[in-house]
Amino acid sequence: MEFITSEKDMLARQNQVLEEAVENRTNELKKVNEALEANNLSLQVLNKELESFTFIASHDLQEPLRKIQAFAHRILESESNLSDKAKDYFDRIQNAAQRMQALENPTPAV
């Protein structure tokens, strides 16, 4: 009978140790989850700021690109004495500006 009592005591102690270990680990995980949630919120705020900056930068680049294209087009249309090489350069300028605009305003994938 004494053997059974000592076995029960030993099992009760082991059970208590395990329960304390589980509780400690649970508390650690709660702290880590809270830190992750705080970091996640911080990243969300930073992402919103980055999106805002990107929108503004993209918008600010559009006007100079439109001007480059417009003036290159005007020169090509109004100047009849341009050499073929000069015309090629203006075509390249317009194409480069169009490519930059395409980078700034990508069409959504369907």
Side-chain angles (χ1 to χ4, degrees):
M1 182 81 157
E2 189 175 308
F3 175 75
I4 294 174
T5 305
S6 92
E7 284 289 317
K8 285 183 179 179
D9 290 343
M10 186 177 76
L11 286 174
R13 282 194 304 269
Q14 287 177 345
N15 188 38
Q16 184 178 2
V17 168
L18 286 174
E19 285 180 1
E20 289 174 3
V22 167
E23 185 177 341
N24 288 339
R25 184 64 177 147
T26 301
N27 289 334
E28 288 174 15
L29 289 173
K30 283 181 184 178
K31 289 178 185 177
V32 169
N33 280 336
E34 288 171 1
L36 284 173
E37 288 177 14
N39 286 338
N40 190 22
L41 289 175
S42 177
L43 286 173
Q44 288 176 359
V45 168
L46 291 173
N47 278 338
K48 285 182 182 180
E49 290 176 9
L50 183 59
E51 286 174 6
S52 176
F53 171 78
T54 303
F55 175 80
I56 292 168
S58 174
H59 184 268
D60 288 350
L61 287 173
Q62 290 301 311
E63 185 59 23
L65 289 173
R66 283 191 291 270
K67 294 289 187 193
I68 290 168
Q69 288 179 315
F71 285 123
H73 179 74
R74 282 184 184 174
I75 291 170
L76 281 172
E77 294 297 316
S78 66
E79 299 297 324
S80 58
N81 60 346
L82 289 176
S83 69
D84 288 340
K85 191 173 188 177
K87 290 177 185 178
D88 180 55
Y89 287 153
F90 280 105
D91 284 336
R92 289 180 187 214
I93 290 169
Q94 286 182 309
N95 290 335
Q98 286 173 350
R99 286 193 308 273
M100 286 180 71
Q101 276 188 321
L103 290 174
E104 293 294 316
N105 294 319
T107 55
V110 178

